[in-house]
Amino acid sequence: MRTTARRAVGALALATAATVLAACGSDSKDKGGDKAAGDSGSKTVTLVSHDSFAASKSVLAEFTKETGYTVKVLRGGDAGAAVNQAILTKDHPRGDVFFGVDNTLLSRALDNGLFTPYTAKDLAQVPAGLQLDADKHRVTPIDSGAVCVNYDRGYFTAHHLAPPQSFADLVKPAYKNLLVTENVSTSSPGLAFLLGTAATYGDGGWQGYWKQLKSNGVEVVDSWEQAYNDRFSGSSAGKQAKGDRPLVVSYASSPPAEVVGVTPEPAQSPVGVATGTCFQQIEFAGLLHGAKNTAGGQALIDFMLGKAFQEDMPLQMYVDPVRKDAALPPVFTKYGATVDHPATMPPDKIAADRDDWVSSWNSIVLK
């Protein structure tokens, strides 16, 4: 998701075709020395992900230098769509590693047997609270962040209107026809926003909240890219696309994405964050069951949890690293919003109720 806003705003092509992101390396074997069971001997490792995966070529070249493997990326839409596609093709996986399944979709992936257990190196550097599959290690935490409503500072200044700060604010008449969000069936930030409302209003209250939100003119689009880059008036891409929605479901890390590369450096980002609307998101990588290049997949997961990749992520996908010793770039710490208490939900609660909530949401919002 990525984010990452996060998710490489305005710069990441929405290609679904395979893209080679690292130059060919040597013929050396993986760090383990011997081929793992199921390893084809190929020197290419295929990463299946959402449209928003991004990494520096120099960092992936370092992976090639260390292991001898090159990385090929297959993108499959927003995270929800990518997970659904991985489930449909699980008997004949399209790659070796899947990255981008988050805590809102994790139980669906695990219940469908998408992953082969693997305990990544340096997992001790990841806080226990982020290791949601710690007993079986079918997935490895790679990044975290907060899904929140973002607002266009310029719009609210021009209209002499205070931006919303809470879920309750969003249903007020002052914010009618201002919010765009993502379809919960196809988008992980959209689903995270739904879960945030469920965590806030409870099993018996979130449906009524969404009826109010619909009456207040919420717009729904399929993906984060559409919402943030096409419909949101506060992003650089949205301005070019003449987006007219000054509120969007995105990330707490959206503000620094709008500042990177801007000279002179502004006093604040043009994008603000309604910190009372946030839900914690954790993204994972896993070795796909039936992967052809098991050893290469394991090496890639180790590398994604390594310090070089972790410190590259913030300005590539606009997410927080999960390693405790990974440093954030100054622009990230200066402009990123601080969310002290994002809404959360236990994985077993998400697993038990998610499908019913999605079905109810569809009936309320889309019909």
Side-chain angles (χ1 to χ4, degrees):
M1 28 255 253
R2 100 179 27 251
T3 56
T4 82
R6 101 183 183 109
R7 311 299 199 187
V9 176
L12 182 62
L14 303 184
T16 56
T19 305
V20 177
L21 291 184
C24 293
S26 67
D27 292 331
S28 61
K29 294 183 179 179
D30 67 277
K31 288 183 278 188
D34 297 321
K35 291 183 184 178
D39 182 17
S40 66
S42 170
K43 302 314 296 181
T44 297
V45 56
T46 301
L47 177 68
V48 182
S49 188
H50 44 56
D51 280 345
S52 302
F53 174 82
S56 297
K57 290 183 179 180
S58 60
V59 168
L60 289 181
E62 182 177 333
F63 169 71
T64 300
K65 182 178 179 181
E66 289 182 4
T67 67
Y69 294 109
T70 63
V71 180
K72 183 169 73 173
V73 178
L74 297 178
R75 296 185 175 92
D78 210 325
V83 170
N84 290 340
Q85 185 178 45
I87 291 171
L88 290 173
T89 59
K90 67 178 183 179
D91 293 333
H92 303 282
R94 300 169 65 229
D96 305 303
V97 174
F98 187 94
F99 165 71
V101 60
D102 68 11
N103 50 309
T104 69
L105 298 165
L106 182 59
S107 62
R108 179 182 297 170
L110 297 181
D111 290 347
N112 277 276
L114 284 189
F115 304 115
T116 297
Y118 175 65
T119 303
K121 296 177 181 178
D122 288 348
L123 197 57
Q125 290 290 337
V126 179
L130 301 181
Q131 299 186 40
L132 301 188
D133 191 45
D135 55 336
K136 295 184 179 179
H137 300 295
R138 290 165 291 182
V139 291
T140 301
I142 300 297
D143 68 71
S144 68
V147 172
C148 313
V149 169
N150 291 181
Y151 57 86
D152 177 355
R153 292 185 188 274
Y155 174 91
F156 287 97
T157 297
H159 288 78
H160 306 289
L161 179 63
Q165 290 299 326
S166 66
F167 288 114
D169 285 346
L170 297 174
V171 298
K172 294 178 179 178
Y175 306 108
K176 188 177 181 64
N177 298 326
L178 300 187
L179 175 65
V180 57
T181 188
E182 301 86 358
N183 189 317
V184 306
S185 298
T186 57
S187 168
S188 63
L191 180 55
F193 184 61
L194 167 60
L195 295 182
T197 64
T200 301
Y201 293 101
D203 292 346
W206 72 264
Q207 298 94 334
Y209 175 79
W210 275 93
K211 289 176 183 177
Q212 294 180 65
L213 209 56
K214 182 178 181 180
S215 296
N216 214 36
V218 64
E219 179 182 3
V220 177
V221 297
D222 284 339
S223 69
W224 175 88
E225 282 79 8
Q226 285 178 275
Y228 193 87
N229 291 332
D230 293 340
R231 300 298 297 124
F232 179 46
S233 62
S235 69
S236 56
K239 285 182 172 63
Q240 293 178 2
K242 300 187 184 304
D244 60 5
R245 292 270 165 161
L247 297 173
V248 63
V249 172
S250 188
Y251 296 87
S253 52
S254 301
E258 296 298 330
V259 173
V260 171
V262 174
T263 53
E265 192 174 85
Q268 64 179 3
S269 172
V271 173
V273 175
T275 55
T277 64
C278 300
F279 184 85
Q280 185 181 44
Q281 186 181 56
I282 308 164
E283 283 192 308
F284 302 85
L287 183 67
L288 285 165
H289 182 72
K292 293 181 179 179
N293 190 349
T294 303
Q298 292 173 347
L300 181 58
I301 291 172
D302 286 343
F303 186 78
M304 293 176 75
L305 197 56
K307 201 169 182 181
F309 187 89
Q310 289 279 300
E311 292 186 345
D312 184 55
M313 283 193 309
L315 293 182
Q316 293 296 321
M317 294 188 283
Y318 292 90
V319 289
D320 291 319
V322 294
R323 282 185 69 111
K324 293 178 285 189
D325 61 348
L328 287 170
V331 68
F332 214 78
T333 55
K334 180 177 179 179
Y335 293 101
T338 299
V339 182
D340 293 324
H341 302 290
T344 60
M345 188 175 289
D348 57 348
K349 176 68 172 175
I350 296 175
D353 294 336
R354 180 190 55 236
D355 291 346
D356 287 341
W357 286 341
V358 170
S359 179
S360 296
W361 183 90
N362 281 320
S363 297
I364 293 168
V365 180
L366 299 185
K367 293 182 181 179

